[in-house]
Amino acid sequence: MPVLEGIASVASHYREGQSAPVMSREGDAAALATGVARPGRGPLIIATLLAASAVVAGGLASYLNTRGAAAAAEAVAHTHRVEAELEGLLSVLKDAETGQRGYLLTSKEAYLAPYLAAREAVSGRLDRLQALIADNPSQRDRLLGLRRLASDKLSELAETVRLRQAGQADAALAIVQSDRGRQLMEEARATVADMEAEEDRLLSERTRVARRSSLRTAASLAASTTLILGLLATLYWVAISASRRLQRSAEWLSVTLRSIGDAVIATDEIGRVKFMNPVAERLTGWPAGEAGGRALEDVFRIVNEDTREPVEHPVAVVLRERGVVGLANHTLLLARGGAEHPIFDSGAPILGLDGAVRGVVLVFKDVGEQREAERRLQASEERNRLLIEGVRDYAMYLLGPDGRVASWNAGAARISGFPAEEARGRPFSDFFAPEEVAGGAPARFLSRAASDGRHNEEVRQVRRDGSPFVASVAVTALPPEGGAPRGFAVVTHDITERMLAHKKLEDAASELGSVLDNVVDGILTIDDAGVIRSANSAAEAIFGHRREDLIGADVGLLMPEPDRSGHPRHLADYLRTGAGRVMGVGREVVGLRKDGSRFPMDIAVGEFVREGRRYFTGVVRDITERKAAETRLSRSEARLRAIVDQAAVGIEEVARDGRFLRVNPALSALLGYREDELLALRFTDVTHPGDVEADAGMARRLFAGELRAYTLQKRYVRKDGEAIWILLTSSAVGGDPGEPAYRVSIIQDITERKRAVDEVHRLNLELEERVESRTRELSEANAELEAFSYTIAHDLRAPVRNMHSLAEALDEDFGEGLPDEGRDYTGRIVAAALRMDALIQDLLSYARLSREAVRLQPVDLDEAVADVGRQMRPDLAERGAEVAVAGPLGRVVAQRTMLDQALTNLVGNAIKFVEPGRRPAVRIRSEARGGMLRLWVEDNGIGVGPEHRERIFRVFERLHGQEAYPGTGIGLAIVRKAIERMGGASGVESGPGAGSRFWIELPMGGGS
């Protein structure tokens, strides 16, 4: 505050004995500095540069902190996407397994749909996960394992399906009963659980980063404002001492005030504006030339941001306090053009040489961007809180370590019928059906979740009124405290309706299979590669092939030459252009029986799309006998009409004016009209009002010759008023050259497909809500666990230090009077206390590695190794160790403190784990491996067995007793954690008695 008072006194000294002039843009800042009393030129320049530097530094800090908050928010969203893809992958694998089981039990092709769809979707899911976790080495390693498990699972499913299709049902079921498939799914679930746990940890860390970024932004704004006020005051103080060089000092002050990032306004003693810098002009909307001489209340209009009531004016506050003051919080500046700016402001009096108040100087800053960043963070947290509270389709609750309910959401109350006050304290088993309790289901859930981290299965549960229902239950163990689970998170979804729907689907499929096997016509289904996928009993009788021989064979098996050779080309042309000779209609073709005989047959082919793949159903009839009679009949219009009438899809002929010229029975049945009723209508009469213009527009372009054909999804309205979705494919036919007479359209009912798409969308939304809710719970649990463990580690050191100090005091004060056994005991106490303190220090170091922000930069390995050698010089001398460095070692990208700690631990182990009586010898060298640099620390010590090479990098893993080789068992765990946090890897090559070659690998830095 004395600095701002000095600024004010500069301006007042200038005005001693003068009236208060109205300042121009170029002269006003100079006038404020006229009273400076002979300063040296150097101090004024230095003060000006400091002010400009403060402005730039403050602005840059605010900008960087705001960008950091935005980046943290994006990282949180990235974690949600990874978890959604993981859940989606598990769901796809489950669908594939469901389809396989249905097919193995029934041999119905309809059950292969989920399996085939999953086989196509798994690769895409894995590729998207690969892209999402490309920046996380540990997740990439897990994904490699997950990709292998998914491949093995699909191979197992494919093998059983192949055996079943080949008629080897017993062999296929034997593979299922071998439990190999279940083991693969369990391993996949465990891997997904590990990856989700890693993402939950990252989410917790990124959320804390977002919060810290917001706090740093606010702090930097306040700090920069205070610093700028101080530097402005310094400029005025220098100006007072520079009166003999007034004009030059005034010019410097003018430049500084106009370049400053904050707004500055100065007034005279009665509150008239005398000076405004450009920032103040922009925020208030008043040019300096117009504002000069006006009352500050007219230019600087401020109100309370919450109440919109005027606040006490700055001039009155400053004149009353007679010192630097921070003005009212939640202040809103009303600009001249109607804009509003939330501001942070301060003011100070301008004092004359006689101590009288000659005016007021105000400094204020627009804090709108900071407020918006804080608002977005609060809104995000509120959305996550409301999400879990608002979920009603899933029961979500927590169990304590004893298996009793600790929390209960609205979805749990709705599904179970238990209100929250009744549910809390109940044992987990109260929600299971009696037969599930008898079978040990509740205990199985908790024990497997405790051992594996997560367990889920479908079981029967009961509501409060005793009614049973089928539920999908997932139990996740909360992170443990002290080695025991802290509780469990439970998510339950009522799948009763889904199970009933699945049962109805199975029954319908069974009924359809029975019908198809008893019709007189042969029915074949082929895929878009021409491979036969299904055949009924009539097809077996017509062609003389067994069904097992037909399924999987090319459809050309049933065609004589030259049709057999030409069919692949015809099919490819149809798939490419949509033009085909038999699609949607029946026609006479020649078939080929197994015995080589040819026969005439009718074939009608319909097309459908399932899971994005095109399939064709052919209805064939042996017409040998009918042909003998038809030789006497005309093959004119009646023949054509019969073909159209047998089409499996709707067909219509529409005139240029929209009238129906011809419709087939399939279309009449689809729309619920008789044929004569439809022929009295136009196509617009049965088209949904919302789709009329789209279809009519395409038809106009078709008749104008702009299109050869078009395909459109639209809605038709049936006679009973029901709207149905159809796929319409239309092409122009007949008429004069260049002017078609009518158009022919093929109509396919896709209502069920549209409904299925909508259902998938709804299920995806439910899954997304479930993932977000679970992420929120795990993030909070992880944060609490981390805080608890850190506090415990610090509190443990106090009693250890006391034990150490008291034991030393006992030895010093009473050592001569103690027997040898007593002195031995005190020595053991001191040694144990030192070991415990070292253990706690290592634990803190290990925990700190998980929390510490990593700031990577190029590091010279030669310098790092040399520094570690100097720090360890006493230990090296004590053991007589010889250390050889094969430089130059090169440069890596790392954080220096973490790298030093890892090197210290490796060299310390190299000189410690040596046979007694042997002089330690250590060799340090490096080698390039692609874009990585590997640093080797080789010793002549006792070595490590192959079976222990990974174990020694885990916390508290020791291969030798404390008496032989003292230590905490955490050193190598710290090495691995530090190197992995810097994006690298670590390992060891060794054998018992042959020394060890430990290595760390980091990305190369510039100059390597």
Side-chain angles (χ1 to χ4, degrees):
M1 284 192 285
V3 177
L4 194 55
E5 292 168 355
I7 297 176
S9 67
V10 173
S12 61
H13 181 75
Y14 163 72
R15 290 197 298 274
E16 284 296 320
Q18 302 181 21
S19 60
V22 176
M23 302 180 185
S24 67
R25 288 184 58 90
E26 299 303 324
D28 46 14
L32 285 173
T34 306
V36 178
R38 295 190 180 93
R41 181 178 182 183
L44 184 59
I45 294 175
I46 293 173
T48 303
L49 292 175
L50 286 174
S53 300
V55 172
V56 173
L60 181 59
S62 298
Y63 169 73
L64 292 177
N65 284 324
T66 301
R67 284 193 61 187
E74 171 58 23
V76 170
H78 179 273
T79 300
H80 287 309
R81 291 194 294 272
V82 173
E83 293 191 334
E85 286 295 336
L86 288 171
E87 290 295 336
L89 178 61
L90 273 184
S91 178
V92 166
L93 289 175
K94 291 178 184 176
D95 289 344
E97 191 173 53
T98 300
Q100 173 233 25
R101 298 287 170 82
Y103 178 71
L104 294 183
L105 294 175
T106 66
S107 78
K108 298 298 186 294
E109 291 291 328
Y111 287 97
L112 285 180
Y115 161 70
L116 295 173
R119 188 175 63 183
E120 298 296 328
V122 165
S123 178
R125 291 276 186 183
L126 290 170
D127 290 343
R128 287 193 293 276
L129 278 171
Q130 183 71 38
L132 286 171
I133 64 171
D135 59 342
N136 190 326
S138 62
Q139 291 289 67
R140 289 201 306 269
D141 293 341
R142 294 187 183 99
L143 184 59
L144 287 175
L146 186 58
R147 189 183 289 274
R148 176 186 59 76
L149 291 171
S151 176
D152 291 347
K153 179 61 181 176
L154 291 179
S155 297
E156 181 255 344
L157 296 177
E159 176 64 13
T160 59
V161 170
R162 185 190 65 79
L163 291 172
R164 187 66 177 89
Q165 290 175 337
Q168 302 178 30
D170 292 340
L173 291 176
I175 293 178
V176 174
Q177 293 169 355
S178 70
D179 220 19
R180 174 189 169 200
R182 186 191 64 80
Q183 292 172 359
L184 290 173
M185 284 299 294
E186 289 295 331
E187 291 180 23
R189 290 190 185 98
T191 302
V192 169
D194 291 343
M195 296 182 74
E196 288 180 337
E198 171 67 8
E199 292 300 322
D200 290 339
R201 182 189 66 77
L202 292 175
L203 180 62
S204 176
E205 179 178 326
R206 290 164 177 170
T207 302
R208 290 196 301 274
V209 170
R211 291 174 179 166
R212 287 199 298 270
S213 297
S214 178
L215 293 175
R216 284 198 298 269
T217 301
S220 66
L221 287 173
S224 64
T225 300
T226 302
L227 179 60
I228 290 168
L229 287 172
L231 291 173
L232 286 173
T234 301
L235 286 173
Y236 275 97
W237 178 83
V238 173
I240 290 174
S241 64
S243 58
R244 290 186 178 180
R245 299 180 181 179
L246 177 61
Q247 187 58 39
R248 181 175 299 171
S249 299
E251 292 174 357
W252 279 103
L253 179 60
S254 175
V255 171
T256 300
L257 292 178
R258 293 188 181 284
S259 302
I260 198 169
D262 291 345
V264 179
I265 298 179
T267 75
D268 59 17
E269 65 274 12
I270 63 174
R272 293 194 301 268
V273 176
K274 307 307 297 178
F275 169 78
M276 294 175 67
N277 73 345
V279 179
E281 291 181 293
R282 176 175 58 81
L283 292 181
T284 63
W286 283 86
E290 295 185 32
R294 289 183 177 271
L296 183 62
E297 293 88 341
D298 297 337
V299 177
F300 189 70
R301 297 172 54 224
I302 53 177
V303 297
N304 183 278
E305 188 175 2
D306 298 324
T307 66
R308 307 292 295 188
E309 294 293 330
V311 300
E312 186 176 9
H313 209 271
V315 172
V317 179
V318 173
L319 293 179
R320 182 175 66 249
E321 300 293 336
R322 294 183 61 84
V324 178
V325 295
L327 301 182
N329 293 326
H330 304 289
T331 301
L332 199 63
L333 172 63
L334 305 180
R336 184 181 187 184
E340 297 181 354
H341 306 283
I343 60 171
F344 175 85
D345 52 355
S346 298
I350 301 175
L351 302 178
L353 297 178
D354 57 357
V357 176
R358 299 307 178 88
V360 175
V361 61
L362 300 176
V363 178
F364 53 97
K365 176 192 293 288
D366 186 347
V367 294
E369 292 185 0
Q370 173 192 344
R371 293 276 183 85
E372 178 61 21
E374 293 174 351
R375 185 194 65 76
R376 286 197 300 267
L377 181 59
Q378 291 173 356
S380 175
E381 293 176 345
E382 180 65 11
R383 282 195 304 271
N384 290 335
R385 183 185 68 79
L386 293 176
L387 182 62
I388 188 171
E389 293 179 356
V391 172
R392 294 183 55 80
D393 292 332
Y394 287 83
M396 297 180 180
Y397 54 97
L398 294 179
L399 302 176
D402 58 355
R404 293 182 178 271
V405 175
S407 70
W408 195 255
N409 80 331
R414 186 188 68 80
I415 293 175
S416 70
F418 286 97
E421 57 272 14
E422 289 188 27
R424 292 192 184 95
R426 283 183 175 272
F428 187 40
S429 57
D430 278 7
F431 310 114
F432 285 78
E435 61 270 23
E436 297 285 3
V437 175
R444 181 174 70 252
F445 269 95
L446 299 184
S447 63
R448 290 188 179 178
S451 61
D452 302 336
R454 186 172 185 270
H455 180 67
N456 67 282
E457 60 179 279
E458 296 176 357
V459 294
R460 290 176 58 83
Q461 294 201 322
V462 291
R463 297 185 173 88
R464 184 172 181 265
D465 60 7
S467 60
F469 65 98
V470 182
S472 174
V473 181
V475 179
T476 303
L478 299 179
E481 292 179 357
R486 189 159 54 88
F488 304 88
V490 183
V491 178
T492 300
H493 182 43
D494 184 351
I495 60 172
T496 305
E497 293 184 1
R498 190 183 78 186
M499 296 292 289
L500 292 174
H502 185 68
K503 179 64 168 57
K504 290 180 180 178
L505 180 62
E506 290 182 343
D507 292 343
S510 178
E511 293 175 3
L512 179 61
S514 297
V515 171
L516 294 179
D517 273 343
N518 287 282
V519 297
V520 297
D521 292 336
I523 300 177
L524 299 166
T525 301
I526 68 170
D527 60 21
D528 52 10
V531 176
I532 300 173
R533 292 301 181 185
S534 68
N536 69 344
S537 299
E540 289 183 292
I542 291 173
F543 292 100
H545 292 277
R546 293 188 309 160
R547 189 180 326 200
E548 292 77 8
D549 297 331
L550 288 174
I551 295 175
D554 190 277
V555 72
L557 175 70
L558 310 179
M559 302 177 185
E561 292 293 354
D563 293 342
R564 177 185 298 178
S565 301
H567 181 263
R569 178 173 53 81
H570 294 319
L571 179 59
D573 290 343
Y574 173 77
L575 292 174
R576 185 179 67 257
T577 66
R581 293 182 297 168
V582 300
M583 198 55 56
V585 298
R587 64 187 294 266
E588 293 182 9
V589 296
V590 177
L592 182 67
R593 295 189 177 93
K594 183 178 181 180
D595 61 9
S597 60
R598 301 186 180 195
F599 67 97
M601 66 179 185
D602 268 350
I603 181 169
V605 180
E607 180 180 1
F608 64 94
V609 178
R610 185 173 63 197
E611 302 295 337
R613 191 169 183 183
R614 300 166 74 174
Y615 293 86
F616 306 92
T617 298
V619 179
V620 299
R621 176 176 296 177
D622 185 347
I623 59 172
T624 303
E625 296 180 2
R626 191 186 75 189
K627 287 292 292 181
E630 285 182 350
T631 55
R632 299 182 300 270
L633 299 178
S634 171
R635 298 178 180 235
S636 60
E637 181 66 22
R639 171 65 174 164
L640 179 61
R641 182 67 184 184
I643 294 175
V644 172
D645 288 348
Q646 293 177 20
V649 295
I651 299 176
E652 63 184 20
E653 294 179 5
V654 180
R656 295 175 66 92
D657 60 3
R659 290 178 298 106
F660 284 114
L661 299 177
R662 177 180 293 182
V663 296
N664 74 335
L667 183 60
S668 297
L670 180 65
L671 296 179
Y673 289 94
R674 296 194 311 273
E675 181 179 354
D676 60 317
E677 291 177 326
L678 280 177
L679 294 179
L681 300 175
R682 299 175 185 270
F683 82 92
T684 54
D685 295 331
V686 295
T687 298
H688 191 279
D691 299 333
V692 169
E693 183 54 37
D695 196 2
M698 298 293 283
R700 286 193 295 270
R701 295 180 61 194
L702 182 70
F703 286 126
E706 298 178 16
L707 300 173
R708 294 179 55 190
Y710 69 88
T711 299
L712 177 69
Q713 287 188 12
K714 56 177 273 189
R715 287 165 291 179
Y716 265 159
V717 179
R718 290 171 46 85
K719 185 177 181 179
D720 59 10
E722 178 189 0
I724 60 173
W725 280 96
I726 59 102
L727 179 66
L728 178 143
T729 302
S730 189
S731 58
V733 178
D736 297 331
E739 187 175 334
Y742 60 94
R743 61 186 174 96
V744 176
S745 302
I746 297 176
I747 313 297
Q748 290 179 308
D749 184 357
I750 61 169
T751 304
E752 290 303 319
R753 188 173 73 188
K754 293 286 287 187
R755 289 174 181 165
V757 170
D758 293 341
E759 178 66 12
V760 170
H761 178 67
R762 183 186 68 78
L763 293 176
N764 284 338
L765 291 178
E766 289 182 0
L767 180 60
E768 191 173 315
E769 292 175 355
R770 178 181 173 188
V771 169
E772 291 181 3
S773 172
R774 181 170 176 274
T775 299
R776 170 84 174 172
E777 292 175 353
L778 293 180
S779 297
E780 293 175 354
N782 285 337
E784 293 173 1
L785 178 62
E786 183 178 349
F788 177 76
S789 63
Y790 192 71
T791 301
I792 289 299
H794 276 78
D795 291 347
L796 282 175
R797 297 193 67 195
V800 171
R801 287 195 295 267
N802 289 339
M803 180 173 68
H804 177 234
S805 299
L806 291 174
E808 286 188 336
L810 177 64
D811 186 53
E812 292 175 0
D813 296 343
F814 304 101
E816 295 181 357
L818 291 173
D820 293 341
E821 186 178 8
R823 286 195 298 273
D824 178 59
Y825 288 159
T826 59
R828 292 186 182 185
I829 292 172
V830 170
L834 290 174
R835 286 196 302 273
M836 176 62 79
D837 189 62
L839 176 60
I840 294 173
Q841 287 281 42
D842 282 350
L843 280 173
L844 288 174
S845 298
Y846 186 78
R848 193 179 299 115
L849 286 174
S850 298
R851 300 189 308 273
E852 184 178 354
V854 179
R855 297 177 178 85
L856 301 177
Q857 60 184 6
V859 175
D860 190 314
L861 283 177
D862 293 284
E863 293 182 4
V865 170
D867 287 347
V868 169
R870 284 191 290 270
Q871 294 172 9
M872 298 186 65
R873 188 173 295 161
D875 294 333
L876 297 174
E878 178 183 352
R879 296 178 180 272
E882 177 183 349
V883 179
V885 179
L889 299 176
R891 294 166 65 84
V892 294
V893 177
Q895 179 165 304
R896 180 61 183 271
T897 55
M898 287 187 179
L899 180 60
D900 287 353
Q901 187 172 17
L903 290 174
T904 300
N905 288 1
L906 289 177
V907 175
N909 281 357
I911 64 174
K912 178 170 64 174
F913 291 98
V914 180
E915 291 284 354
R918 189 173 189 180
R919 181 182 182 185
V922 182
R923 182 170 183 260
I924 300 175
R925 62 183 180 86
S926 67
E927 64 180 5
R929 288 177 172 245
M932 307 292 283
L933 191 68
R934 177 172 289 190
L935 183 73
W936 293 87
V937 178
E938 304 171 347
D939 61 49
N940 62 340
I942 58 177
V944 180
E947 69 276 13
H948 301 308
R949 290 179 183 175
E950 285 301 315
R951 173 186 165 193
I952 60 175
F953 285 97
R954 297 198 292 264
V955 178
F956 298 131
E957 291 291 347
R958 296 176 50 83
L959 304 182
H960 308 281
Q962 185 72 29
E963 297 78 8
Y965 298 102
T968 62
I970 304 177
L972 288 177
I974 291 175
V975 171
R976 173 155 289 182
K977 174 68 74 174
I979 298 303
E980 288 180 350
R981 294 251 14 233
M982 294 185 289
S986 58
V988 62
E989 296 179 2
S990 178
S996 300
R997 301 168 65 233
F998 284 87
W999 56 268
I1000 59 175
E1001 196 170 85
L1002 290 166
M1004 284 187 177
S1008 291

